[in-house]
Amino acid sequence: MKLSVQNSRIVLNSICQLYILLFVYAAVSKLLDFENFQVQLGQSPLLSTFASWVSWLVPIVELVIALLLIFPKWRITGLFAAFSLMIMFTTYIFIILNYSSFVPCSCGGILEKMSWNTHLVFNVIFVVLGALALQNQVTSENTRYHIKLSLIKSIPISIVFSIGIVIVLFLSSEDIMQHQNPFIRRYIRRSIALVHSTDLKFNSYYFSGYNEGRIYLGNYTDPLHVLSINTTFKSQKVTKIDFRNKNLPFRLVTILVKGKYFFLIDGSVPCVFRGKIQDWKITEELKGIPNFTIAEPIDSTTVVFRNNSGENAANVLGVFNSKTSPKVHYAPSLLQKQIDGIFDTDGMLHFNSELGKIVYVYFYRNEIILADKYATLDRREHTIDTVSHAKIKVGYLKAGTQRKMAAPPSIVNAVTATKNNLLFVQSKVPGLYENDVMWKHAAIIDVYNLKKNAYVLSFPIFGIENTKLQSMFITTTHLYAIIGTQLMIYELKGSLRKEMINGTPISSNL
C-alpha cells in the first residue's frame, strides 16, 4: 500500500509539474509577443469581439493556476481550474476545426508551430492527465471525504460548464461580428485566388459589364471601342460601337452593359443611347433624362441617376423611365446632407439586379443606402468602420457660388461592387488588431451580406504598392480588378464562394 501511495504521489506531482510548465511557458510566450497574440485573437471566429480583455485574461489565469499548483494547500483548486481551462481550450479547437469556415493562427510559443489537429490531440492528452490527477485525489486516502464528494459532483459539472461557456462565446461573438461589429475585421485566408492577369497598357479602362462569360471594358480616352475578354483570358476582342450622332457636346462618355443591351451615356449632354451587344449598333435614344453626374441602368428603359438638382445644388438620386409619364422621379430624402450636400453625399451607385435594389455607398462615411427600383428607401445599413460623420473640409469661392475641398478628405469607402446578395467594399480605414504593414501592400476588401444585413469577411488584394485599385467587378465565380494598368482575375474560393452561391452566413452551422 505504501508503494501505491508513493506512486500515486509521484504521478500527481508529475502531472502538476507538467501543467505548471505548460501554463507558465504559454503565458510568458503570449506576454512577450502580446501585440501579435491580441491580433490573432482578433481574427478568431470565437473570440474576435472579446479579444481586448481575453488577451489579458488568458495569460493571467494561466499564471494564477500555475501558482496554485505549486503550493500543496491549493493544489486541488489548481488542478480543478487547470482541468476546466484545458476543457475550454479543447472545445475551442474542436469548434474551430469543425464549425468554422476558416482556421486562424495558433498562439503560444512552440504550440504555434503545431497544426490545429496536433494541437487538439495535445490538449486532449492534458485533459486526460487532468482527469487522472483529479481521480487520484478522489481515491486518495489523504483526501477528506467531503472534498472527495465535492470533486465527484463537480467534475461533470465543470465539463458541461466549460464546454457551454465556449459555445456561448462563439455564438455571441458571431452575432456581434455580423450585426454589431465593433470594427474588428475577420480576415479569411484563401477567399480569392489569382488565376490570370494581363497588362491593358493604359489606365483609362473601366468595367462596363458582363454577359454570357465575357467581361466588357470601356475606355474613357477611346469611348467607342469596347474590349471584351472571356473568363479564361484566351479570347480577347475589341469591338467598335456603330454610333453616328457624334456632334453632341460630349464630355465623358461611358459605356455600360446590362444583359443583352449596352448603353452609351453622358450626363453633361445629357443623353442615354441604347443598342444590343449582338451587333453593337445604337438603335434608340432614351429621351428626356436630365443632367446627371453618375447613372446606372436598371433595365432596358430605366436608369437610376444622381444629379445636383437638390436644395442649394445638393446631390439627389432619381429614377428615369423613358416609357412612363412623368419620366423622372426624384427621391430627395435618400441622400442626407451633413455638411454641404455635395461632397459629403458623394459616393458610388449600383443597381443589384438579383435583389432588385439600388445600392449607394458613401465615400466619406460608413453608410449604405438600399432602395427599390422606384427609389423608395428600403433601409440604411452601415459598414463596420466607425466613421458615421464625413471628415471633410469644404471651401467656398466666388461669394459662395463655388465649392472645393479645402483639405484632403478622409475616405472611408473607395471602391465597391455588388453581385447576388453580396456587397464588396474597399475600405480605407484600418480596424482593431490589424497589421499596419499589410495596409501598405494591399487593398482591404470587406464583404457584406445585403440580404441578411451582416458583415461576412474581409480579404486583402496584394500587389498595389505603387498603384491603386481603380475598380472591381464581381460575377458569381470571379472577382475582376483593375490595378493601375493591370487587369487581374481572381477566383472566389471557400466560404466566399459559398456565400455568393447560397448566402449562408459563415460559421452558422454549429
Side-chain angles (χ1 to χ4, degrees):
M1 180 63 68
K2 290 183 179 180
L3 182 62
S4 177
V5 171
Q6 184 178 1
N7 287 340
S8 178
R9 190 171 299 164
I10 293 173
V11 170
L12 179 61
N13 288 336
S14 298
I15 292 174
C16 288
Q17 289 171 7
L18 283 172
Y19 265 118
I20 292 170
L21 178 63
L22 173 66
F23 287 147
V24 170
Y25 176 75
V28 171
S29 297
K30 293 179 178 72
L31 293 174
L32 288 177
D33 195 13
F34 182 75
E35 184 178 355
N36 184 49
F37 173 58
Q38 195 171 59
V39 168
Q40 290 170 341
L41 283 184
Q43 298 305 310
S44 166
L46 274 75
L47 304 172
S48 302
T49 55
F50 313 116
S52 59
W53 57 269
V54 170
S55 58
W56 286 105
L57 182 64
V58 170
I60 290 173
V61 168
E62 288 174 334
L63 290 175
V64 169
I65 292 175
L67 283 174
L68 292 174
L69 290 172
I70 290 174
F71 301 103
K73 181 180 179 180
W74 301 102
R75 184 161 289 173
I76 293 178
T77 302
L79 279 172
F80 196 80
F83 177 72
S84 299
L85 189 61
M86 290 308 299
I87 288 286
M88 291 183 186
F89 288 164
T90 305
T91 304
Y92 171 82
I93 295 175
F94 182 81
I95 292 176
I96 288 288
L97 291 174
N98 292 278
Y99 298 101
S100 175
S101 62
F102 75 104
V103 178
C105 295
S106 182
C107 48
I110 194 172
L111 303 182
E112 190 172 0
K113 307 303 179 182
M114 295 182 182
S115 70
W116 281 86
N117 285 307
T118 304
H119 206 157
L120 179 63
V121 173
F122 180 88
N123 281 13
V124 169
I125 291 173
F126 270 85
V127 168
V128 172
L129 289 175
L132 180 61
L134 290 172
Q135 189 270 342
N136 184 291
Q137 289 294 305
V138 170
T139 59
S140 173
E141 294 181 355
N142 296 327
T143 305
R144 297 176 181 177
Y145 176 77
H146 71 278
I147 296 178
K148 290 182 180 182
L149 187 62
S150 178
L151 285 173
I152 292 172
K153 292 180 179 179
S154 299
I155 289 175
I157 294 175
S158 174
I159 294 173
V160 173
F161 178 77
S162 299
I163 294 173
I165 198 169
V166 175
I167 292 175
V168 169
L169 282 173
F170 172 63
L171 295 176
S172 58
S173 180
E174 283 301 293
D175 180 69
I176 293 171
M177 283 293 292
Q178 293 184 5
H179 303 289
Q180 309 166 43
N181 196 297
F183 204 9
I184 300 174
R185 285 191 172 86
R186 177 165 294 169
Y187 290 100
I188 298 186
R189 293 173 293 179
R190 297 182 293 275
S191 292
I192 60 172
L194 180 65
V195 294
H196 202 89
S197 66
T198 188
D199 191 349
L200 298 173
K201 307 298 183 183
F202 303 98
N203 62 2
S204 53
Y205 281 97
Y206 60 92
F207 292 111
S208 292
Y210 177 88
N211 187 61
E212 295 184 351
R214 298 192 73 86
I215 190 83
Y216 295 94
L217 294 95
N219 191 324
Y220 290 118
T221 59
D222 189 8
L224 293 183
H225 286 85
V226 177
L227 173 65
S228 65
I229 305 173
N230 68 353
T231 55
T232 64
F233 274 63
K234 293 180 179 179
S235 172
Q236 298 188 28
K237 182 171 60 175
V238 176
T239 303
K240 184 177 181 180
I241 296 173
D242 186 355
F243 180 59
R244 300 175 185 178
N245 191 357
K246 301 178 183 179
N247 296 321
L248 294 172
F250 291 116
R251 291 186 182 178
L252 186 64
V253 173
T254 304
I255 307 298
L256 299 175
V257 174
K258 192 77 172 180
K260 65 180 181 179
Y261 294 100
F262 73 93
F263 297 81
L264 185 151
I265 67 174
D266 189 328
S268 61
V269 174
C271 66
V272 176
F273 293 93
R274 189 188 70 196
K276 292 185 179 181
I277 61 175
Q278 179 182 354
D279 54 15
W280 293 96
K281 291 182 179 180
I282 296 292
T283 57
E284 186 176 354
E285 180 181 2
L286 307 185
K287 296 181 179 180
I289 191 169
N291 289 73
F292 56 87
T293 50
I294 53 175
E296 183 76 17
I298 292 178
D299 55 39
S300 61
T301 62
T302 311
V303 176
V304 57
F305 66 90
R306 186 194 70 192
N307 65 13
N308 303 118
S309 61
E311 184 178 354
N312 296 321
N315 284 325
V316 63
L317 292 179
V319 174
F320 165 78
N321 190 318
S322 62
K323 300 297 183 182
T324 62
S325 181
K327 294 183 176 183
V328 179
H329 166 69
Y330 285 103
S333 63
L334 285 182
L335 302 184
Q336 295 182 327
K337 175 182 175 180
Q338 289 185 336
I339 299 172
D340 70 326
I342 296 181
F343 293 117
D344 62 340
T345 58
D346 199 3
M348 296 154 282
L349 177 64
H350 303 279
F351 182 75
N352 185 305
S353 299
E354 293 78 22
L355 296 180
K357 300 293 183 184
I358 296 168
V359 182
Y360 192 87
V361 183
Y362 287 114
F363 280 126
Y364 307 116
R365 53 177 130 157
N366 64 348
E367 188 173 309
I368 303 166
I369 300 170
L370 297 173
D372 65 19
K373 63 181 181 180
Y374 304 106
T376 301
L377 179 66
D378 181 10
R379 62 188 189 276
R380 299 180 189 274
E381 307 296 354
H382 294 89
T383 53
I384 61 173
D385 61 84
T386 57
V387 184
S388 58
H389 195 277
K391 297 179 180 179
I392 60 174
K393 185 177 180 181
V394 180
Y396 294 86
L397 306 175
K398 296 184 179 180
T401 59
Q402 290 186 6
R403 287 174 258 197
K404 289 188 176 182
M405 287 285 194
S410 180
I411 299 174
V412 176
N413 306 304
V415 179
T416 55
T418 183
K419 181 65 177 178
N420 288 4
N421 55 316
L422 299 185
L423 173 67
F424 292 67
V425 179
Q426 182 200 3
S427 175
K428 303 293 283 188
V429 185
L432 297 174
Y433 319 121
E434 293 190 21
N435 189 334
D436 293 337
V437 175
M438 181 172 64
W439 281 80
K440 296 179 182 179
H441 301 281
I444 306 303
I445 309 300
D446 299 327
V447 183
Y448 302 88
N449 188 320
L450 296 177
K451 188 179 291 185
K452 298 180 181 296
N453 179 26
Y455 164 69
V456 179
L457 56 85
S458 299
F459 60 87
I461 296 179
F462 287 98
I464 63 166
E465 290 87 345
N466 300 316
T467 54
K468 71 174 185 176
L469 176 65
Q470 293 179 201
S471 57
M472 290 188 296
F473 193 87
I474 309 295
T475 69
T476 55
T477 57
H478 292 84
L479 181 151
Y480 296 83
I482 296 178
I483 302 173
T485 63
Q486 295 291 319
L487 172 61
M488 320 288 284
I489 178 171
Y490 300 86
E491 184 180 0
L492 305 185
K493 308 286 285 187
S495 58
L496 183 56
R497 179 68 175 271
K498 293 177 183 177
E499 189 81 17
M500 175 66 77
I501 294 172
N502 55 36
T504 303
I506 61 173
S507 306
S508 65
N509 55 340
L510 178 62

